[in-house]
């Protein structure tokens, strides 16, 4: 689960409808979106998931300037072995709208990234944790790409609570040519049914790559194979956009 996911990207297509297996229909498959934390589990060996922003959106108003960004962000996840997962991502299309002194309006390709997630051992059935290491490649031209190399190490710790509720704690540290960043966030799932779930969350941090905000989100299962989600995050720091969020869809199969 993560709105500000680190590796996200590639174009989406209708063939997604042929790829899938429910995140809740099988305990071995959980999607990383939505929300700040990612799932504290990995795909089984040979498993595959496609997670797509439709799009992810950010809005910021500063000194009379309004900036909007829409990103078709994709994550492709592959189960390599027990507890080990490969992730490939790309911001296939980025649309910018800026009303500053030099108004800007256009779209282009964003950056790509590669990551490895490892689910760590746990002695409790109610606790799970995982680490995710990612590295981005500035494949997109500025201003659609960052023009910077970014390395991030993140972890999610997750607890199952009574009455089908859950608590997740997320932390990351990032290094880029432009400077270092960190994020610490908590996510509480207060409604969880077979067909849908709802959560609230908050994140604090420092740096341009940090996630600073409070928000909420919901996710629905469309049949047994597709998850649809919607999320919204209100920025609370000077490094954060005023609003972030969007809708997304996820498919997977084992």
């Amino acid at each position: 689960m993560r709105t500000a996911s680190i590796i996200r990207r590639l174009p989406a297509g209708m063939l997604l409808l042929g790829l899938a297996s429910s995140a809740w229909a099988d305990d071995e498959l959980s999607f990383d979106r939505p929300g700040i934390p990612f799932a504290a589990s990995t795909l089984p060996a040979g498993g595959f998931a496609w997670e797509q922003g439709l799009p992810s959106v950010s809005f910021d108003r500063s000194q009379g300037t309004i900036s909007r960004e829409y990103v078709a962000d994709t994550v492709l996840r592959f189960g390599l072995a027990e507890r080990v997962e490969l992730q490939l991502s790309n911001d296939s299309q980025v649309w910018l709208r800026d009303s500053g002194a030099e108004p800007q309006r256009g779209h282009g390709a964003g950056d790509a990234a590669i990551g490895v997630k490892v689910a760590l051992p746990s002695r409790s059935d109610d606790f799970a944790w995982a680490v995710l290491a990612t590295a981005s490649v500035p494949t997109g031209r500025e201003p659609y790409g960052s023009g910077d190399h970014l390395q991030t190490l993140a972890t999610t710790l997750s607890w199952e609570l009574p009455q089908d509720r859950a608590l997740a704690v997320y932390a990351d540290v990032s290094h880029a040519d432009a400077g270092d960043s960190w994020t610490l966030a908590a996510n509480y799932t207060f409604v969880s049914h077979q067909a849908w779930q709802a959560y609230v969350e908050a994140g604090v941090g420092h740096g341009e790559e940090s996630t600073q905000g409070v928000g909420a989100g919901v996710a629905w299962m469309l049949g047994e194979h597709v998850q649809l989600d919607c999320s919204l995050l209100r920025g609370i720091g000077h490094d954060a956009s005023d609003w972030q969020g969007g809708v997304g869809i996820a498919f997977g199969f084992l």
Side-chain angles (χ1 to χ4, degrees), residues 4-247:
S5 221
I6 311 165
I7 344 191
R8 311 179 159 179
R9 301 135 198 191
L10 282 183
M14 291 304 295
L15 63 87
L16 289 177
L17 297 176
L19 308 174
S21 179
S22 164
W24 292 313
D26 193 311
D27 291 339
E28 294 183 280
L29 197 163
S30 296
F31 294 121
D32 280 358
R33 61 175 305 128
I36 301 173
F38 52 83
S41 61
T42 56
L43 298 174
F48 172 77
W50 186 322
E51 306 189 11
Q52 180 68 44
L54 299 174
S56 298
V57 180
S58 65
F59 173 89
D60 189 66
R61 184 192 299 270
S62 177
Q63 298 179 346
T65 298
I66 298 176
S67 299
R68 299 180 180 88
E69 182 178 77
Y70 309 87
V71 182
D73 52 303
T74 303
V75 180
L76 300 179
R77 301 168 56 198
F78 304 87
L80 297 182
E82 183 180 3
R83 297 181 177 274
V84 180
E85 174 183 303
L86 174 69
Q87 297 192 357
L88 302 176
S89 65
N90 176 252
D91 285 342
S92 60
Q93 291 294 316
V94 180
W95 293 267
L96 296 177
R97 304 290 185 268
D98 194 319
S99 65
E102 298 182 2
Q104 186 175 41
R105 185 183 182 91
H107 78 278
D111 294 337
I114 183 172
V116 175
K117 186 203 286 190
V118 178
L120 301 174
S122 172
R123 296 182 179 180
S124 172
D125 293 336
D126 297 329
F127 172 73
W129 60 319
V131 295
L132 174 63
T134 64
S136 70
V137 181
T139 54
R141 293 182 304 158
E142 294 189 46
Y144 310 109
S146 67
D148 200 350
H149 292 83
L150 174 69
Q151 298 86 40
T152 300
L153 180 63
T155 184
T156 290
L157 292 77
S158 178
W159 292 265
E160 294 184 11
L161 305 177
Q163 301 178 334
D164 293 325
R165 301 183 180 187
L167 173 67
V169 175
Y170 167 87
D172 74 36
V173 290
S174 299
H175 173 73
D177 298 336
D180 297 336
S181 304
W182 60 269
T183 296
L184 179 64
N187 177 294
Y188 176 59
T189 299
F190 61 91
V191 175
S192 181
H193 297 294
Q194 184 176 3
W196 70 287
Q197 64 176 341
Y199 67 87
V200 293
E201 64 184 359
V204 297
H206 175 74
E208 292 186 1
E209 300 300 328
S210 64
T211 301
Q212 306 173 43
V214 295
V218 293
W220 301 269
M221 292 309 300
L222 307 180
E224 295 185 351
H225 303 294
V226 183
Q227 175 185 283
L228 179 67
D229 65 75
C230 179
S231 61
L232 184 65
L233 199 67
R234 171 61 171 168
I236 57 175
H238 68 276
D239 290 323
S241 297
D242 292 340
W243 296 96
Q244 298 178 63
V247 296

